[in-house]
Amino acid sequence: MAEFATIARPYAKALFELAQEKNQLESWLGELKTLAAVVSQPKVAAFIEEPETGYVHKADGVLSLLDTQPVDPMLKNFVYTLAENKRLAVLPEIYTQYQDFTLSRNNTKKAIVYSAYPLNEGQLGKLVGELEARFATKLDAQLRVEQDLIGGVKVEIGDQVLDLSVQGRLRSLYAAMTN
């Protein structure tokens, strides 16, 4: 959702700068992750879209669902600001961008590794090590099993895709044969 990304960017950047100033980067990252998961729930999403409910009630409702109580006052004010501006639904995208800011601060990029089969820790570690050497950056890798790949792996790092899957090779072969 490009529109959500555009809306979320200034909020994520402002929160990141404030968290950096308050030395709260990691703790707020965890809280944002929880908030993003909370507002993604269908019942909560319906609640925050109710036009007759006031923003204070919406913010209080969302904050009451957090595991850690009491919530950091700065983060609480952030949620109230989002609610007042009718932006609570953008919280998952704010979390994603905040996470990207945190990773880039640590010279780390987020990578998604798609594999046809589950990989154990050793296999994933070796693969990530090779990818870090190839892309000359530290990677925060997440594994997703996608059986359609047949075999091999496909890696997404930002807007770059490295497709070493059997499915990708078959597509290339098909394209070469039909052209």
Side-chain angles (χ1 to χ4, degrees):
M1 298 204 138
E3 183 179 325
F4 273 11
T6 305
I7 293 169
R9 189 169 295 111
Y11 289 104
K13 186 171 170 78
L15 187 64
F16 175 78
E17 289 172 357
L18 181 62
Q20 201 170 12
E21 182 182 305
K22 300 291 182 187
N23 206 15
Q24 296 283 335
L25 284 175
E26 297 302 320
S27 64
W28 286 8
L29 181 65
E31 293 292 330
L32 272 178
K33 182 177 183 178
T34 306
L35 282 167
V38 164
V39 300
S40 296
Q41 300 298 317
K43 288 183 180 181
V44 177
F47 170 70
I48 61 178
E49 293 299 322
E50 291 177 356
E52 63 276 356
T53 306
Y55 80 89
V56 173
H57 187 63
K58 290 178 185 181
D60 286 338
V62 168
L63 290 169
S64 71
L65 297 172
L66 291 178
D67 296 333
T68 55
Q69 295 293 338
V71 179
D72 183 286
M74 296 288 216
L75 197 56
K76 188 175 181 179
N77 287 341
F78 179 73
V79 172
Y80 278 101
T81 301
L82 290 176
E84 185 176 12
N85 293 318
K86 298 179 173 82
R87 300 290 193 231
L88 283 174
V90 184
L91 263 167
E93 183 62 31
I94 292 172
Y95 164 69
T96 300
Q97 291 190 22
Y98 181 94
Q99 184 180 35
D100 290 344
F101 286 136
T102 304
L103 290 173
S104 67
R105 178 180 178 267
N106 299 330
N107 296 325
T108 304
K109 290 186 178 180
K110 190 174 179 181
I112 302 174
V113 177
Y114 297 94
S115 174
Y117 303 100
L119 300 176
N120 64 37
E121 290 296 320
Q123 292 169 323
L124 183 61
K126 183 178 178 187
L127 178 62
V128 169
E130 291 172 6
L131 290 169
E132 287 177 342
R134 180 177 182 148
F135 289 98
T137 187
K138 190 175 175 190
L139 296 176
D140 177 25
Q142 177 184 13
L143 177 65
R144 294 191 185 159
V145 176
E146 196 171 288
Q147 294 176 347
D148 293 345
L149 295 179
I150 305 168
V153 294
K154 182 171 91 173
V155 182
E156 292 178 358
I157 301 172
D159 59 354
Q160 296 177 326
V161 177
L162 177 62
D163 193 350
L164 303 173
S165 68
V166 173
Q167 181 188 46
R169 304 240 173 156
L170 288 173
R171 282 189 190 143
S172 297
L173 180 62
Y174 178 77
M177 290 174 60
T178 57
N179 289 334

